[in-house]
Amino acid sequence: MSNRDSIRDTFFQECEELLESLQEGLTAIDDDTADSETINSVFRAVHSIKGGAGAFGFDDLVSFAHEFETILDEIRNGRLDQPSSFADVLWKSADLLGDLVAAAAGGVAIETHRTSDLISKLVSLMPETSPNSNWEQEAEFQPLAFAFDDPLFSDTASEETTYKILFQPQDSMFENGNETAVLLRKLATLGEATIICDISQLPTFQILEPEKCYLSWMIELCSSASIEEIQDVFEFVEQDCDLKISSTQDALNDTSNAPEDPPPESNPPLQLINDNITQQHDVDGDELEQIPPTRAPAPARDASRANRSSDSKTAGAPATVRVDVERIDKLINLIGELVVNQAMLSQCHLDSELSADSDFVTGLDELKTLTRDVQDSVMAIRAQPVKSLFQRMARIVREASAATGKDVHLEISGELTEVDKTVLERLADPLTHMVRNAVDHGLETPEQRQISGKPTKGIIHLAAAHRSGRVVIDVSDDGAGINRARVLETAIRKNLISQNDNLSPEETDALLFLPGFSTVTEISNLSGRGVGMDVVRSAIRALGGRISINSEPGLGSTFSISLPLTLAVLDGMVVEVAQQKLVIPIAAIIETLLPNTNNFHSIGHQDVIFIRDTVIPVVDLGNILGFRPPLENLTKCVLILLESDLGVQFAVLVDAIHDQRQLVIKALEENYGEVAGAAAATILGDGRIALILDPNDRLFIGHRNAVTTDSRQIANG
Amino acid sequence: MKKKILAVDDSRTMRDMLYYALSDAGFSVEVADDGQDGLEKLHDVQPNVIITDINMPRLDGFGFIEQVRKDAVHRTVPILVLTTESANSLKERARSVGATGWIVKPFDQTKLISAIERVVA
Amino acid sequence: MQQATQTSQSNEPNFVAFRVADQEYCVDIMSVREIRGWTPVTTLPQAPDSVLGVINLRGSVVPILDFSVRLGLKSQNPTVDNVIIIVQVDSQTIGLLVDEVSEILSIEDDAIKPTPEVTYEGSEAFITGVITFDSRMIRLVDLSFIVLACPQPAPR
């Protein structure tokens, strides 16, 4: 990767961070809690995006960022009051800026009217008294104005001219760190220079003040450089010195005794004697008349032509290292192997005759602890706060509230909760959908809210927290709650349940997750068609997560996602069925039971068992997975009571339980595809693969309709 | 002996650019994230030249320059200010707190080196 | 088990030939990752007959296909004498259970003849051509058809 590419990557990474802090600042502006530093940081974010974009020639991005920045500058300087009153324009600008960054990254164009519409809105906000109000965009910022090595400049340089330069520094020049020797040396690089120092003003040593300047210089420079180039050398000191540049024989004669003449105080410090230069140009030809009087800003060219390796020491925060995700993933895979190896060693020990207190066993235990610690530490590298994801949701809420005409306030908490990077990335789509749903279906219209005596502004709350080794993300609304009567009606109409099913409120809510379920009679263009909560649920399940609903009529609903901290490991119970080893996730296990004959009953062809007065369907695992014919005698087996993510309970029959351990999850999809009854696989201590049972698979859940659940009354939704 | 440059900018992109462009030109480059960070690194780095952004969190470029100028060792070290604005007011303010010169963004390597050559030999 | 032989041309070896139910087949050598002996598989529930199960190949879950079942022939009870050819097709890695690997071949493109009209039921789709020499007939297998026996990888 070239340096340019590497800086480009840095730029886009940084843009993401800057857009985040922009959003954060705008949220504060929106809430009227922004202090001057917040506003400054908002300005800085846009400013930095503009700066970087300029270097890469992303002109659309630069010009919009410039307009945006100008307004933010007005706010920053207090010329524009109450920014919360036009926060919507600022939000839209932030969104567009984000889209322009994405466009620059992906090369996709943004409709020009979007940019121009917003620019005119920004312009209309401009206070008339502002020095920026004449909107001198072109004059102020020209990312790609002129090429540095414009032929016009180089042509003028072909002929050598003798310049005479008088240079008398003032004391202030040295206070700012400028140095005569450096300037003269730089000047000498332009041509052949004869430098004479005038020491006539030097006082006697007794009265000499070391920080004052008593010297002046006369330089005769024979150079092909233009007068502008010479001027440029003195650019930084032009206000701290007296400088005269002339270029003819006359001037030379004129100034032969100049050092004796102290420059008049009233004169401007820099005096350019160029009458004769113009004459000279007349001789050279007309084209030279076109030389611009001052040099335009240099082009936005790649500042990096270095060829150092991109991952050599680069700029960055002092205590952080940026690492390619691939390297971390490789490390995680290796540690996965280590875990498997450690398990194999433990297996060997169990098979051996070694006593439990031998050094070998102690070492093995330590290895186990260490392996687990290493694994946790590496997982932590991949962890990222949910903040960025939550901030993205802010935009979804804005768009959704605009589309539905609902007034929505988004509250965020626990945004520093860390989740595995991949989990975070794959959470974006389902969460987007949930947030849209919450605005679209969860919240009532302002009118309805007023009737129910609620504030017209609805609240969506996004919360994240760590809870018992998992990450829980809640999307709550303070809307009307789930209309259960309508849910049931719809489910019956769509033949998802039968008229006679008596469902508990929780079971009713869970119907929302059934494929093809949608309570909205007119499909809203917001939540989209065909994409229902069932898609959200499968996305969450694919991450090893669960989703549940808690809804109170009139008070609102909370959708909770519970996710594993990482995708890579799982606590599982190893069981044996028909000579095959299987893993059951500990999270799904309620209890294990040794059945006796009296427990078992049959309802039709379905075996069931009574556990604490509840009828639980029994699944003959070996048979349903196709490993063997149905069992004749169920009592020789072990029963494991499981619960699916949706709270459906069932019991599986297995031949034996081996042990519980932490297992590395291996995807089945990579080389194969979906496997009935299994979500993934793992490698056991003997190196063989074992399938990890998915208690949510249709293979098991399909049984729920065959039995009557308890007869709690359906709540009036 | 390579000349040492301390580059202070809150933008990682800018820091990277400065780092690559200046390293390539034969300078030894240290970077700092903002004025505060720059001050903290000042004595370790002992730079021959400082290049600094103006608008930064914690301590901005003006404040940073003022502090550097108060430091006995660094009161005359050349300081170049990075600015996107060609507005004279900004340069003027930078000059008044002690900046030596300025570099207008966007810059290329030529422009960068040319500015440095005017303040350090 | 395997010997390099010269055919009509002396080029880089480009095909791996193997034997299943007394018939010879070959696959592009570039798709072959390795050849290994039979190891017991983990059975997959409700899998097609041709999918024997999955094995652990250095930490990856790799499905094993019974090549003869895929051809529409009878399933063979795999023994230690059987061989698994690990092939990669696009991003998918799968293992093919065969009787033995016979040789590594160098075959010119023009030595490959189109598939005869009469072939085994169900197998013509993945035989893209035949190579005949020394009174032998080797069928060239199109692996992209073979992997269709596995369910498609689930969308991410």
Side-chain angles (χ1 to χ4, degrees):
Chain A
M1 190 158 62
S2 75
N3 286 332
R4 189 187 163 87
D5 289 345
S6 131
I7 296 173
R8 197 176 184 270
D9 284 356
T10 306
F11 171 65
F12 285 117
Q13 276 172 19
E14 189 172 25
C15 275
E16 254 175 57
E17 291 158 25
L18 292 168
L19 288 168
E20 262 177 42
S21 76
L22 173 61
Q23 300 229 336
E24 221 168 287
L26 288 186
T27 308
I29 289 176
D30 219 350
D31 299 345
D32 263 331
T33 57
D35 55 15
S36 67
E37 177 46 35
T38 311
I39 291 172
N40 223 336
S41 77
V42 167
F43 174 83
R44 233 175 4 243
V46 178
H47 185 75
S48 290
I49 290 175
K50 184 180 98 170
F56 288 101
F58 298 134
D59 296 349
D60 290 352
L61 182 54
V62 169
S63 53
F64 182 73
H66 178 77
E67 308 292 346
F68 193 10
E69 181 196 71
T70 311
I71 279 295
L72 293 172
D73 192 32
E74 292 301 303
I75 300 171
R76 190 169 67 134
N77 292 329
R79 284 191 290 264
L80 206 50
D81 279 345
Q82 285 187 316
S84 57
S85 63
F86 48 88
D88 60 319
V89 180
L90 299 180
W91 277 117
K92 277 188 185 136
S93 302
D95 290 345
L96 178 61
L97 194 70
D99 289 347
L100 286 165
V101 168
V108 189
I110 301 281
E111 304 96 315
T112 43
H113 71 84
R114 244 186 95 190
T115 314
S116 52
D117 288 358
L118 211 45
I119 287 180
S120 44
K121 271 191 195 139
L122 286 171
V123 173
S124 69
L125 290 173
M126 208 64 194
E128 282 180 13
T129 51
S130 162
N132 284 322
S133 60
N134 49 351
W135 221 256
E136 286 177 302
Q137 165 203 6
E138 292 309 314
E140 201 184 309
F141 194 79
Q142 299 168 311
L144 282 166
F146 290 95
F148 198 68
D149 43 6
D150 194 297
L152 281 177
F153 289 115
S154 39
D155 280 0
T156 57
S158 56
E159 197 162 317
E160 294 218 332
T161 313
T162 302
Y163 295 98
K164 179 127 182 161
I165 302 155
L166 294 174
F167 175 51
Q168 181 165 28
Q170 294 162 3
D171 304 340
S172 60
M173 198 187 99
F174 303 104
E175 285 164 14
N176 277 13
N178 277 297
E179 210 185 306
T180 315
V182 174
L183 293 169
L184 295 180
R185 227 170 277 172
K186 173 76 181 169
L187 195 64
T189 61
L190 297 176
E192 205 177 304
T194 314
I195 301 170
I196 300 158
C197 180
D198 177 12
I199 55 167
S200 57
Q201 303 296 310
L202 202 62
T204 58
F205 191 70
Q206 283 85 352
I207 59 161
L208 183 136
E209 285 183 45
E211 301 213 338
K212 276 193 171 304
C213 182
Y214 303 97
L215 306 177
S216 61
W217 284 266
M218 189 192 81
I219 307 110
E220 212 178 286
L221 179 70
C222 186
S223 166
S224 56
S226 69
I227 195 155
E228 288 83 12
E229 279 171 81
I230 294 168
Q231 233 176 306
D232 265 1
V233 172
F234 296 97
E235 184 193 359
F236 299 154
V237 298
E238 54 182 51
Q239 298 190 52
D240 294 311
C241 70
D242 299 310
L243 183 70
K244 282 185 185 175
I245 305 172
S246 57
S247 65
T248 64
Q249 208 56 41
D250 290 355
L252 266 177
N253 293 337
D254 231 2
T255 53
S256 54
N257 46 7
E260 277 91 42
D261 298 329
E265 292 293 325
S266 56
N267 276 11
L270 176 74
Q271 213 168 29
L272 190 62
I273 307 167
N274 60 359
D275 302 2
N276 297 310
I277 294 172
T278 322
Q279 280 174 19
Q280 191 189 333
H281 287 169
D282 285 340
V283 177
D284 285 351
D286 288 348
E287 59 174 333
L288 292 171
E289 294 283 321
Q290 297 163 16
I291 302 170
T294 51
R295 182 170 297 158
R301 253 185 285 154
D302 185 10
S304 68
R305 289 183 208 123
N307 43 18
R308 292 175 66 126
S309 148
S310 64
D311 41 20
S312 67
K313 191 180 151 211
T314 56
T320 59
V321 179
R322 272 182 286 150
V323 182
D324 199 327
V325 179
E326 268 177 35
R327 291 194 193 185
I328 297 174
D329 287 348
K330 193 175 174 197
L331 190 59
I332 285 176
N333 275 331
L334 286 172
I335 286 165
E337 298 303 302
L338 188 66
V339 171
V340 170
N341 260 308
Q342 177 261 314
M344 278 167 79
L345 276 177
S346 300
Q347 189 74 45
C348 291
H349 154 242
L350 287 176
D351 299 344
S352 75
E353 304 287 303
L354 280 168
S355 78
D357 53 359
S358 71
D359 287 352
F360 173 77
V361 176
T362 318
L364 204 58
D365 279 349
E366 275 170 17
L367 178 67
K368 194 174 178 178
T369 319
L370 274 175
T371 311
R372 192 139 189 170
D373 285 354
V374 170
Q375 195 170 33
D376 288 350
S377 310
V378 173
M379 293 306 171
I381 299 179
R382 285 184 54 95
Q384 286 184 341
V386 295
K387 194 173 172 183
S388 60
L389 180 65
F390 276 12
Q391 281 179 350
R392 255 198 277 174
M393 292 308 125
R395 175 171 183 178
I396 304 298
V397 168
R398 284 199 299 284
E399 287 173 352
S401 58
T404 53
K406 292 175 185 173
D407 200 3
V408 186
H409 177 70
L410 177 69
E411 281 175 2
I412 283 175
S413 60
E415 69 262 38
L416 295 179
T417 308
E418 291 192 330
V419 190
D420 180 271
K421 183 174 152 57
T422 310
V423 176
L424 207 57
E425 281 163 5
R426 286 162 65 182
L427 206 53
D429 281 350
L431 199 62
T432 301
H433 195 81
M434 288 166 70
V435 167
R436 273 194 196 138
N437 260 333
V439 176
D440 198 13
H441 304 316
L443 294 176
E444 316 92 322
T445 60
E447 298 75 36
Q448 284 166 335
R449 290 182 68 92
Q450 210 152 23
I451 293 166
S452 354
K454 291 181 181 179
T456 50
K457 197 168 202 163
I459 292 172
I460 303 281
H461 189 102
L462 272 178
H466 278 153
R467 223 171 284 158
S468 57
R470 291 175 79 87
V471 179
V472 180
I473 294 175
D474 289 345
V475 180
S476 316
D477 63 68
D478 70 342
I482 291 169
N483 186 339
R484 296 195 175 110
R486 211 162 94 212
V487 168
L488 286 171
E489 185 196 312
T490 312
I492 292 167
R493 183 161 41 80
K494 296 193 172 177
N495 282 328
L496 297 169
I497 53 167
S498 85
Q499 196 88 45
N500 304 322
D501 279 342
N502 282 330
L503 300 186
S504 67
E506 291 74 27
E507 286 173 312
T508 309
D509 293 347
L511 290 172
L512 293 179
F513 295 120
L514 289 180
F517 188 94
S518 176
T519 45
V520 180
T521 10
E522 296 163 47
I523 295 173
S524 103
N525 57 8
L526 190 62
S527 297
R529 47 202 78 207
V531 187
M533 287 303 286
D534 58 319
V535 177
V536 170
R537 187 184 57 167
S538 21
I540 301 297
R541 273 179 47 186
L543 291 169
R546 300 190 283 259
I547 183 165
S548 59
I549 308 177
N550 187 354
S551 183
E552 289 283 328
L555 297 176
S557 314
T558 298
F559 288 75
S560 295
I561 305 171
S562 157
L563 293 161
L565 285 179
T566 139
L567 291 179
V569 285
L570 169 122
D571 284 308
M573 179 185 277
V574 181
V575 300
E576 192 169 315
V577 179
Q579 284 87 54
Q580 295 275 342
K581 280 181 185 160
L582 286 170
V583 174
I584 299 175
I586 297 285
I589 298 176
I590 299 174
E591 62 184 317
T592 56
L593 308 154
L594 283 174
N596 63 53
T597 336
N598 302 334
N599 295 130
F600 287 106
H601 302 274
S602 288
I603 297 177
H605 291 292
Q606 175 65 51
D607 290 314
V608 297
I609 191 168
F610 277 110
I611 299 172
R612 287 179 293 275
D613 299 334
T614 310
V615 184
I616 306 281
V618 174
V619 177
D620 179 356
L621 209 50
N623 178 41
I624 203 164
L625 294 177
F627 294 163
R628 66 175 172 209
L631 283 174
E632 295 295 321
N633 186 352
L634 306 181
T635 50
K636 281 183 183 162
C637 296
V638 182
L639 264 179
I640 303 176
L641 182 59
L642 302 179
E643 188 176 48
S644 80
D645 291 352
L646 299 181
V648 181
Q649 293 189 355
F650 60 99
V652 292
L653 282 168
V654 301
D655 297 345
I657 292 174
H658 284 281
D659 60 349
Q660 287 185 18
R661 64 173 83 154
Q662 195 174 46
L663 298 147
V664 178
I665 300 175
K666 297 284 175 181
L668 286 163
E669 284 86 354
E670 217 162 275
N671 293 316
Y672 188 70
E674 283 188 26
V675 173
T682 189
I683 298 167
L684 295 178
D686 60 3
R688 294 271 304 267
I689 286 171
L691 297 176
I692 300 173
L693 204 75
D694 179 2
N696 302 300
D697 197 279
R698 247 165 243 166
L699 213 52
F700 313 116
I701 300 290
H703 287 259
R704 77 171 292 286
N705 286 337
V707 276
T708 315
T709 50
D710 61 1
S711 51
R712 279 170 286 174
Q713 285 301 304
I714 296 164
N716 298 318
Chain B
M1 190 58 186
K2 278 185 178 179
K3 289 258 184 299
K4 277 183 290 184
I5 297 184
L6 177 64
V8 188
D9 201 310
D10 60 325
S11 157
R12 210 161 68 212
T13 311
M14 277 305 154
R15 288 200 299 269
D16 274 12
M17 281 187 172
L18 289 167
Y19 180 84
Y20 285 122
L22 295 171
S23 307
D24 185 42
F27 294 98
S28 150
V29 190
E30 289 292 332
V31 293
D33 296 351
D34 54 39
Q36 196 60 46
D37 192 26
L39 279 185
E40 281 158 20
K41 287 179 173 161
L42 190 62
H43 281 270
D44 282 341
V45 179
Q46 299 275 356
N48 302 94
V49 182
I50 295 172
I51 297 178
T52 179
D53 190 25
I54 290 180
N55 204 322
M56 293 183 290
R58 298 209 291 170
L59 180 62
D60 70 5
F62 301 127
F64 172 64
I65 296 169
E66 270 174 346
Q67 293 299 315
V68 175
R69 288 293 178 238
K70 282 181 192 161
D71 181 281
V73 182
H74 297 96
R75 49 183 291 234
T76 60
V77 66
I79 304 177
L80 293 170
V81 168
L82 281 172
T83 165
T84 31
E85 280 102 322
S86 47
N88 282 324
S89 61
L90 225 101
K91 284 183 199 166
E92 199 44 58
R93 187 161 163 218
R95 250 176 45 79
S96 73
V97 296
T100 312
W102 49 86
I103 301 162
V104 178
K105 291 192 265 189
F107 53 83
D108 63 4
Q109 202 182 19
T110 320
K111 195 162 150 187
L112 191 62
I113 303 306
S114 155
I116 293 169
E117 280 173 351
R118 277 176 276 159
V119 295
V120 72
Chain C
M1 185 166 67
Q2 56 203 40
Q3 66 187 101
T5 58
Q6 300 278 304
T7 56
S8 49
Q9 305 285 330
S10 58
N11 282 315
E12 288 285 302
N14 52 1
F15 287 100
V16 174
F18 55 90
R19 210 176 278 280
V20 176
D22 294 325
Q23 295 175 356
E24 280 195 284
Y25 294 87
C26 67
V27 291
D28 186 347
I29 200 166
M30 295 310 288
S31 39
V32 177
R33 289 288 158 268
E34 65 179 277
I35 295 159
R36 58 189 350 255
W38 166 254
T39 44
V41 298
T42 299
T43 315
L44 297 178
Q46 301 185 351
D49 287 346
S50 59
V51 179
L52 288 165
V54 289
I55 61 159
N56 165 22
L57 184 69
R58 285 182 301 281
S60 290
V61 181
V62 173
I64 306 298
L65 283 159
D66 187 334
F67 195 78
S68 60
V69 174
R70 190 72 187 99
L71 288 178
L73 302 174
K74 261 189 75 181
S75 159
Q76 47 191 340
N77 260 330
T79 67
V80 282
D81 296 332
N82 283 97
V83 169
I84 292 170
I85 305 175
I86 305 288
V87 295
Q88 184 160 6
V89 186
D90 298 324
S91 63
Q92 248 178 304
T93 305
I94 58 167
L96 301 176
L97 178 79
V98 302
D99 290 351
E100 61 168 348
V101 169
S102 46
E103 59 196 301
I104 312 291
L105 301 168
S106 299
I107 294 171
E108 288 281 295
D109 279 356
D110 51 19
I112 301 168
K113 302 184 179 71
T115 319
E117 293 283 319
V118 187
T119 42
Y120 296 97
E121 190 83 12
S123 65
E124 63 272 15
F126 57 88
I127 305 297
T128 52
V130 294
I131 301 145
T132 50
F133 65 93
D134 298 348
S135 76
R136 291 161 64 188
M137 185 174 84
I138 303 177
R139 298 147 186 88
L140 178 55
V141 178
D142 181 353
L143 287 171
S144 56
F145 276 92
I146 292 286
V147 296
L148 289 180
C150 296
Q152 284 304 293
R156 299 262 162 144

